[in-house]
């Protein structure tokens, strides 16, 4: 499907929009959802796939020799295969681990790497602008191993300077660097980070590369493992799929060598009263009952995304973000925080006279949904010299009417203060 056929042409596939229209004074206010960066809405195909599975095939995975368990197990492993292909041709299913989400995935890999590869002479390099999920696990790893955590800064605080300082990266990524971790796409200002350059710098010194792909998997299709990544993490709910399922994909060496993070049923090969032995492959990291229904939903979500085309979704969403940005800059007292390259799907801003939290509440009166706050990135917010931002983020179902309604609501916000 071409990019121009997205938005209003596919909106009917998402029941959330019809079900959240506001009616009053003889008018219908459409639901303008501009918070896809926090979670994507779900197409009917995902909802139906999960419902059908629970009605007809639901059973425990890898636990039973009866029909529904066998069918559930096949669905679960078929989804693993599908996820591997979705990540890239250089990945196979034995590298794909199912988790609760990006946060758990990053905790697993940070903990495992710290146990095997870090000591008090090591350095970890991450940007200051990371989501807490890709910052705090590395902070804790550095504390456990009493090693150095070096932070990459932004080039500046405005417009095109809102990007990682690569000259600083060249200085910081040295021979004692063991890990370089960063987001593919930033969750606050939407910057697309220089993946190839950062991977090249890391590989030059033999460092491992971990990439947070929570914001990029629905709209970017680069094979990051072919480019040199050692591990990536993402969540199903940001991929137009369900919550409570995420993916950690790692190179085979890491899958084989990293220790498990959780312990219990399903991840052992033998247990006696003196010791336990772990199984191999993804199962080593999937203790307990797996996210079975959620895996079914993730499978349907990947099918849906691929039917629209990730490049089309990116072009469509970034085009709307650019249109919104240009109109936003013409509103008095608005300060914009965006790299403004034309490729971002996120625009963050603040009104100099209306606090971000108040702005989000005011917008809700017009049935416009945007997130306000620190966006789980306190260091970035403080670095920008603000206490909170309003974030507008676009998805496949966004359209031009969303832009017009949101801009009008922001213009009228001063009347509600």
């Amino acid at each position: 499907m071409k990019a121009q056929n997205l938005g209003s042409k596919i909106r009917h596939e998402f029941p959330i929009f019809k079900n959240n229209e506001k009616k009053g004074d003889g008018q219908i206010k459409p639901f303008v959802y501009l918070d896809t960066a926090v979670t994507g809405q779900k197409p009917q195909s995902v909802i139906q796939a999960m419902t059908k599975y629970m009605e007809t095939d639901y059973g425990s995975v890898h636990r039973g020799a009866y029909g529904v368990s066998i069918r559930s197990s096949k669905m679960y492993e078929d989804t693993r295969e599908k996820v591997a292909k979705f990540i890239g041709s250089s990945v196979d299913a034995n590298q794909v681990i199912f988790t609760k989400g990006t946060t758990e995935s990053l905790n697993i890999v940070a903990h495992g790497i710290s146990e095997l590869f870090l000591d008090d002479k090591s350095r970890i390099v991450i940007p200051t602008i990371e989501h807490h999920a890709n910052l705090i696990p590395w902070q804790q790893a550095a504390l456990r191993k009493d090693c150095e955590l070096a932070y990459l800064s932004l080039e500046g605080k405005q417009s095109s300077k809102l990007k990682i300082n690569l000259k600083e990266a060249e200085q910081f990524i040295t021979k004692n660097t063991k890990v370089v971790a960063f987001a593919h796409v930033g969750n606050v200002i939407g910057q697309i980070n220089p993946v190839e350059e950062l991977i090249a710098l890391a590989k030059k010194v033999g460092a491992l590369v971990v990439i947070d792909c929570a914001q990029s998997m629905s709209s970017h299709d680069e094979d990051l493992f072919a480019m040199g990544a050692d591990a990536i993490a993402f969540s199903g709910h940001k991929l137009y799929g369900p919550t409570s399922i995420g993916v950690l994909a790692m190179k085979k060496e890491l899958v084989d060598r990293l220790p498990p993070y959780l312990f219990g049923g399903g991840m052992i090969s033998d247990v006696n009263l003196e010791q336990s032995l772990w199984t191999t492959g993804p199962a080593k990291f999937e203790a307990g009952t797996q996210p079975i229904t959620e895996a079914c939903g993730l499978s349907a979500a990947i099918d849906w995304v691929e039917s629209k085309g990730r490049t089309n979704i990116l072009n469509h969403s970034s085009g709307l973000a650019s249109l919104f940005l240009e109109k936003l800059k013409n509103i008095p007292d608005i300060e914009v925080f965006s790299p403004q390259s034309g490729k971002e799907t996120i625009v963050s801003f603040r009104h100099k006279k209306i606090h971000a939290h108040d702005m989000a509440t005011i917008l809700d009166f017009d049935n416009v949904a945007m997130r306000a706050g620190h966006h789980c990135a306190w260091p970035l917010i403080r670095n920008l010299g603000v206490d909170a931002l309003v974030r507008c983020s676009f998805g496949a179902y966004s359209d031009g009417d969303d832009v017009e309604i949101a801009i009008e609501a922001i213009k009228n916000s001063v009347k509600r203060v």
Side-chain angles (χ1 to χ4, degrees):
M1 180 176 288
K2 294 183 179 179
Q4 60 265 32
N5 291 330
L6 292 175
S8 58
K9 296 290 182 69
I10 64 170
R11 205 176 183 93
H12 69 279
E13 297 183 42
F14 294 81
I16 192 78
F17 293 106
K18 183 68 175 177
N19 292 333
N20 282 273
E21 292 177 344
K22 285 186 178 179
K23 300 176 182 178
D25 300 325
Q27 293 183 327
I28 295 178
K29 288 184 178 180
F31 180 41
V32 178
Y33 183 76
L34 296 173
D35 201 14
T36 298
V38 78
T39 194
Q41 296 296 344
K42 319 307 170 193
Q44 192 67 53
S45 59
V46 170
I47 298 167
Q48 288 176 339
M50 295 173 70
T51 300
K52 181 178 183 296
Y53 167 72
M54 286 189 288
E55 289 176 342
T56 62
D57 293 317
Y58 180 79
S60 185
V61 167
H62 306 317
R63 300 289 196 277
Y66 46 84
V68 292
S69 179
I70 293 169
R71 295 199 298 275
S72 290
S73 299
K74 184 178 187 306
M75 178 279 296
Y76 191 74
E77 295 305 328
D78 285 350
T79 300
R80 201 188 304 275
E81 292 273 1
K82 184 178 292 186
V83 169
K85 291 177 182 178
F86 188 68
I87 292 170
S89 60
S90 61
V91 180
D92 66 49
N94 289 325
Q95 296 173 246
V96 173
I97 297 152
F98 290 127
T99 66
K100 287 192 302 183
T102 305
T103 298
E104 184 177 70
S105 296
L106 292 170
N107 274 271
I108 291 170
V109 72
H111 179 268
I113 286 174
S114 72
E115 291 295 304
L116 284 187
F117 296 99
L118 302 183
D119 57 33
D120 59 2
K121 298 179 178 61
S122 302
R123 171 182 281 185
I124 304 166
V125 177
I126 64 174
T128 60
I129 59 179
E130 290 301 298
H131 188 286
H132 297 162
N134 199 38
L135 190 152
I136 297 172
W138 300 111
Q139 277 187 343
Q140 296 304 306
L143 287 169
R144 282 194 301 273
K145 294 298 181 175
D146 193 27
C147 68
E148 182 184 8
L149 181 57
Y151 289 104
L152 300 175
S153 65
L154 293 171
E155 286 188 1
K157 298 182 180 182
Q158 293 293 330
S159 192
S160 62
K161 296 294 184 182
L162 290 167
K163 59 184 178 182
I164 290 175
N165 190 327
L166 276 176
K167 290 184 178 178
E168 198 172 69
E170 292 173 2
Q171 297 170 357
F172 286 9
I173 301 174
T174 55
K175 63 181 180 180
N176 62 327
T177 301
K178 300 300 181 183
V179 185
V180 178
F182 57 92
H184 188 177
V185 172
N187 75 297
V188 181
I189 55 177
Q191 84 288 349
I192 301 173
N193 286 324
V195 175
E196 290 188 59
E197 292 88 341
L198 289 171
I199 289 176
L201 289 171
K203 293 306 166 184
K204 189 175 180 180
V205 299
L208 295 168
V209 175
V210 178
I211 305 179
D212 173 357
C213 295
Q215 295 294 339
S216 62
M217 285 305 292
S218 65
S219 54
H220 291 257
D221 58 6
E222 297 93 333
D223 186 337
L224 298 176
F225 282 93
M227 294 166 66
D230 294 283
I232 71 166
F234 62 93
S235 298
H237 74 97
K238 295 182 190 288
L239 192 65
Y240 306 99
T243 56
S244 300
I245 187 167
V247 170
L248 170 60
M250 299 188 287
K251 284 190 174 177
K252 190 175 185 302
E253 179 191 6
L254 292 182
V255 174
D256 292 340
R257 293 187 61 191
L258 260 56
Y261 187 67
L262 297 173
F263 303 92
M267 49 76 64
I268 48 88
S269 62
D270 188 35
V271 177
N272 59 47
L273 297 183
E274 286 73 40
Q275 67 175 351
S276 299
L277 301 176
W278 320 136
T279 189
T280 58
K284 180 172 62 171
F285 302 95
E286 296 180 5
T289 301
Q290 296 89 344
I292 309 167
T293 306
E294 291 78 8
C296 178
L298 177 60
S299 176
I302 288 174
D303 288 343
W304 186 88
V305 168
E306 290 194 318
S307 74
K308 310 310 175 192
R310 280 185 274 183
T311 300
N312 290 335
I313 292 173
L314 176 61
N315 291 340
H316 171 75
S317 303
S318 62
L320 290 173
S322 295
L323 177 63
F324 175 80
L325 175 64
E326 290 308 309
K327 292 177 178 290
L328 186 66
K329 289 191 292 187
N330 293 325
I331 301 175
D333 295 315
I334 291 291
E335 186 177 11
V336 173
F337 294 87
S338 168
Q340 301 184 36
S341 72
K343 298 178 182 179
E344 296 81 22
T345 63
I346 295 171
V347 179
S348 287
F349 66 96
R350 73 183 187 106
H351 195 290
K352 295 177 182 178
K353 296 179 181 178
I354 304 173
H355 192 274
H357 293 139
D358 294 329
M359 176 63 78
T361 300
I362 291 168
L363 295 179
D364 186 51
F365 284 118
D366 289 309
N367 215 14
V368 176
M370 294 187 199
R371 184 179 172 185
H374 56 76
H375 308 286
C376 298
W378 266 120
L380 169 58
I381 293 297
R382 291 191 176 109
N383 183 60
L384 295 175
V386 299
D387 62 352
L389 290 173
V390 183
R391 183 183 65 187
C392 178
S393 51
F394 295 86
Y397 39 62
S398 306
D399 62 20
D401 287 344
D402 291 340
V403 172
E404 297 300 330
I405 293 169
I407 289 295
E408 196 63 27
I410 294 168
K411 286 179 180 178
N412 292 333
S413 60
V414 290
K415 300 175 183 178
R416 295 185 183 270
V417 178

PDB file of all heavy atoms in Angstrom, residues 25-40:
ATOM      1  N   ASP A  25     -23.690  19.078  21.549  1.00  0.00           N
ATOM      2  CA  ASP A  25     -24.031  20.307  20.827  1.00  0.00           C
ATOM      3  C   ASP A  25     -24.254  20.046  19.345  1.00  0.00           C
ATOM      4  O   ASP A  25     -23.939  20.885  18.494  1.00  0.00           O
ATOM      5  CB  ASP A  25     -22.939  21.374  21.003  1.00  0.00           C
ATOM      6  CG  ASP A  25     -22.742  21.752  22.468  1.00  0.00           C
ATOM      7  OD1 ASP A  25     -23.745  21.763  23.206  1.00  0.00           O
ATOM      8  OD2 ASP A  25     -21.591  22.017  22.858  1.00  0.00           O
ATOM      9  N   GLY A  26     -24.768  18.879  19.035  1.00  0.00           N
ATOM     10  CA  GLY A  26     -25.059  18.563  17.641  1.00  0.00           C
ATOM     11  C   GLY A  26     -23.838  18.283  16.798  1.00  0.00           C
ATOM     12  O   GLY A  26     -23.932  18.172  15.578  1.00  0.00           O
ATOM     13  N   GLN A  27     -22.670  18.154  17.443  1.00  0.00           N
ATOM     14  CA  GLN A  27     -21.429  17.921  16.705  1.00  0.00           C
ATOM     15  C   GLN A  27     -20.758  16.638  17.189  1.00  0.00           C
ATOM     16  O   GLN A  27     -20.986  16.187  18.304  1.00  0.00           O
ATOM     17  CB  GLN A  27     -20.464  19.094  16.887  1.00  0.00           C
ATOM     18  CG  GLN A  27     -20.927  20.397  16.249  1.00  0.00           C
ATOM     19  CD  GLN A  27     -19.879  21.485  16.403  1.00  0.00           C
ATOM     20  OE1 GLN A  27     -19.163  21.535  17.393  1.00  0.00           O
ATOM     21  NE2 GLN A  27     -19.792  22.349  15.411  1.00  0.00           N
ATOM     22  N   ILE A  28     -19.945  16.084  16.318  1.00  0.00           N
ATOM     23  CA  ILE A  28     -19.133  14.915  16.673  1.00  0.00           C
ATOM     24  C   ILE A  28     -17.669  15.333  16.607  1.00  0.00           C
ATOM     25  O   ILE A  28     -17.190  15.816  15.576  1.00  0.00           O
ATOM     26  CB  ILE A  28     -19.390  13.736  15.724  1.00  0.00           C
ATOM     27  CG1 ILE A  28     -20.831  13.245  15.862  1.00  0.00           C
ATOM     28  CG2 ILE A  28     -18.404  12.602  16.010  1.00  0.00           C
ATOM     29  CD1 ILE A  28     -21.184  12.118  14.919  1.00  0.00           C
ATOM     30  N   LYS A  29     -16.986  15.168  17.721  1.00  0.00           N
ATOM     31  CA  LYS A  29     -15.553  15.446  17.747  1.00  0.00           C
ATOM     32  C   LYS A  29     -14.809  14.123  17.550  1.00  0.00           C
ATOM     33  O   LYS A  29     -14.890  13.233  18.393  1.00  0.00           O
ATOM     34  CB  LYS A  29     -15.145  16.071  19.086  1.00  0.00           C
ATOM     35  CG  LYS A  29     -15.616  17.493  19.277  1.00  0.00           C
ATOM     36  CD  LYS A  29     -15.078  18.060  20.588  1.00  0.00           C
ATOM     37  CE  LYS A  29     -15.501  19.515  20.770  1.00  0.00           C
ATOM     38  NZ  LYS A  29     -14.973  20.077  22.046  1.00  0.00           N
ATOM     39  N   PRO A  30     -14.084  13.987  16.446  1.00  0.00           N
ATOM     40  CA  PRO A  30     -13.346  12.737  16.228  1.00  0.00           C
ATOM     41  C   PRO A  30     -12.239  12.566  17.267  1.00  0.00           C
ATOM     42  O   PRO A  30     -11.766  13.536  17.860  1.00  0.00           O
ATOM     43  CB  PRO A  30     -12.761  12.920  14.822  1.00  0.00           C
ATOM     44  CG  PRO A  30     -12.708  14.396  14.608  1.00  0.00           C
ATOM     45  CD  PRO A  30     -13.881  14.964  15.359  1.00  0.00           C
ATOM     46  N   PHE A  31     -11.883  11.337  17.499  1.00  0.00           N
ATOM     47  CA  PHE A  31     -10.794  11.029  18.414  1.00  0.00           C
ATOM     48  C   PHE A  31      -9.478  11.220  17.677  1.00  0.00           C
ATOM     49  O   PHE A  31      -9.168  10.500  16.735  1.00  0.00           O
ATOM     50  CB  PHE A  31     -10.931   9.587  18.917  1.00  0.00           C
ATOM     51  CG  PHE A  31      -9.853   9.155  19.872  1.00  0.00           C
ATOM     52  CD1 PHE A  31      -9.378  10.007  20.860  1.00  0.00           C
ATOM     53  CD2 PHE A  31      -9.316   7.878  19.788  1.00  0.00           C
ATOM     54  CE1 PHE A  31      -8.391   9.598  21.751  1.00  0.00           C
ATOM     55  CE2 PHE A  31      -8.340   7.449  20.673  1.00  0.00           C
ATOM     56  CZ  PHE A  31      -7.869   8.316  21.650  1.00  0.00           C
ATOM     57  N   VAL A  32      -8.717  12.215  18.102  1.00  0.00           N
ATOM     58  CA  VAL A  32      -7.431  12.536  17.469  1.00  0.00           C
ATOM     59  C   VAL A  32      -6.331  11.961  18.354  1.00  0.00           C
ATOM     60  O   VAL A  32      -5.949  12.557  19.365  1.00  0.00           O
ATOM     61  CB  VAL A  32      -7.273  14.062  17.295  1.00  0.00           C
ATOM     62  CG1 VAL A  32      -5.917  14.385  16.678  1.00  0.00           C
ATOM     63  CG2 VAL A  32      -8.404  14.608  16.420  1.00  0.00           C
ATOM     64  N   TYR A  33      -5.845  10.800  17.983  1.00  0.00           N
ATOM     65  CA  TYR A  33      -4.842  10.106  18.792  1.00  0.00           C
ATOM     66  C   TYR A  33      -3.454  10.409  18.243  1.00  0.00           C
ATOM     67  O   TYR A  33      -3.075   9.933  17.169  1.00  0.00           O
ATOM     68  CB  TYR A  33      -5.103   8.605  18.785  1.00  0.00           C
ATOM     69  CG  TYR A  33      -4.145   7.829  19.666  1.00  0.00           C
ATOM     70  CD1 TYR A  33      -4.299   7.830  21.056  1.00  0.00           C
ATOM     71  CD2 TYR A  33      -3.094   7.103  19.122  1.00  0.00           C
ATOM     72  CE1 TYR A  33      -3.428   7.124  21.871  1.00  0.00           C
ATOM     73  CE2 TYR A  33      -2.221   6.399  19.924  1.00  0.00           C
ATOM     74  CZ  TYR A  33      -2.384   6.418  21.301  1.00  0.00           C
ATOM     75  OH  TYR A  33      -1.514   5.714  22.110  1.00  0.00           O
ATOM     76  N   LEU A  34      -2.715  11.207  18.984  1.00  0.00           N
ATOM     77  CA  LEU A  34      -1.376  11.611  18.567  1.00  0.00           C
ATOM     78  C   LEU A  34      -0.364  11.232  19.645  1.00  0.00           C
ATOM     79  O   LEU A  34       0.480  12.026  20.058  1.00  0.00           O
ATOM     80  CB  LEU A  34      -1.351  13.114  18.278  1.00  0.00           C
ATOM     81  CG  LEU A  34      -2.237  13.545  17.099  1.00  0.00           C
ATOM     82  CD1 LEU A  34      -2.300  15.059  16.968  1.00  0.00           C
ATOM     83  CD2 LEU A  34      -1.730  12.923  15.786  1.00  0.00           C
ATOM     84  N   ASP A  35      -0.458   9.981  20.079  1.00  0.00           N
ATOM     85  CA  ASP A  35       0.448   9.463  21.095  1.00  0.00           C
ATOM     86  C   ASP A  35       0.929   8.059  20.739  1.00  0.00           C
ATOM     87  O   ASP A  35       1.077   7.190  21.590  1.00  0.00           O
ATOM     88  CB  ASP A  35      -0.253   9.457  22.462  1.00  0.00           C
ATOM     89  CG  ASP A  35       0.732   9.417  23.623  1.00  0.00           C
ATOM     90  OD1 ASP A  35       1.943   9.656  23.389  1.00  0.00           O
ATOM     91  OD2 ASP A  35       0.301   9.144  24.755  1.00  0.00           O
ATOM     92  N   THR A  36       1.180   7.839  19.468  1.00  0.00           N
ATOM     93  CA  THR A  36       1.623   6.530  19.007  1.00  0.00           C
ATOM     94  C   THR A  36       2.986   6.163  19.576  1.00  0.00           C
ATOM     95  O   THR A  36       3.309   4.974  19.698  1.00  0.00           O
ATOM     96  CB  THR A  36       1.639   6.495  17.470  1.00  0.00           C
ATOM     97  OG1 THR A  36       0.298   6.703  16.990  1.00  0.00           O
ATOM     98  CG2 THR A  36       2.137   5.172  16.926  1.00  0.00           C
ATOM     99  N   ALA A  37       3.794   7.153  19.942  1.00  0.00           N
ATOM    100  CA  ALA A  37       5.103   6.855  20.522  1.00  0.00           C
ATOM    101  C   ALA A  37       4.980   6.134  21.852  1.00  0.00           C
ATOM    102  O   ALA A  37       5.874   5.373  22.241  1.00  0.00           O
ATOM    103  CB  ALA A  37       5.910   8.145  20.702  1.00  0.00           C
ATOM    104  N   VAL A  38       3.884   6.365  22.577  1.00  0.00           N
ATOM    105  CA  VAL A  38       3.720   5.662  23.858  1.00  0.00           C
ATOM    106  C   VAL A  38       3.142   4.278  23.639  1.00  0.00           C
ATOM    107  O   VAL A  38       3.545   3.312  24.274  1.00  0.00           O
ATOM    108  CB  VAL A  38       2.862   6.476  24.849  1.00  0.00           C
ATOM    109  CG1 VAL A  38       1.378   6.391  24.566  1.00  0.00           C
ATOM    110  CG2 VAL A  38       3.147   6.047  26.283  1.00  0.00           C
ATOM    111  N   THR A  39       2.195   4.147  22.700  1.00  0.00           N
ATOM    112  CA  THR A  39       1.651   2.841  22.329  1.00  0.00           C
ATOM    113  C   THR A  39       0.829   2.988  21.063  1.00  0.00           C
ATOM    114  O   THR A  39       0.153   4.006  20.866  1.00  0.00           O
ATOM    115  CB  THR A  39       0.796   2.244  23.476  1.00  0.00           C
ATOM    116  OG1 THR A  39       0.550   0.861  23.211  1.00  0.00           O
ATOM    117  CG2 THR A  39      -0.511   2.973  23.675  1.00  0.00           C
ATOM    118  N   GLY A  40       0.894   1.996  20.210  1.00  0.00           N
ATOM    119  CA  GLY A  40       0.122   2.039  18.977  1.00  0.00           C
ATOM    120  C   GLY A  40      -1.266   1.459  19.191  1.00  0.00           C
ATOM    121  O   GLY A  40      -1.446   0.505  19.954  1.00  0.00           O
TER     122      GLY A  40
END
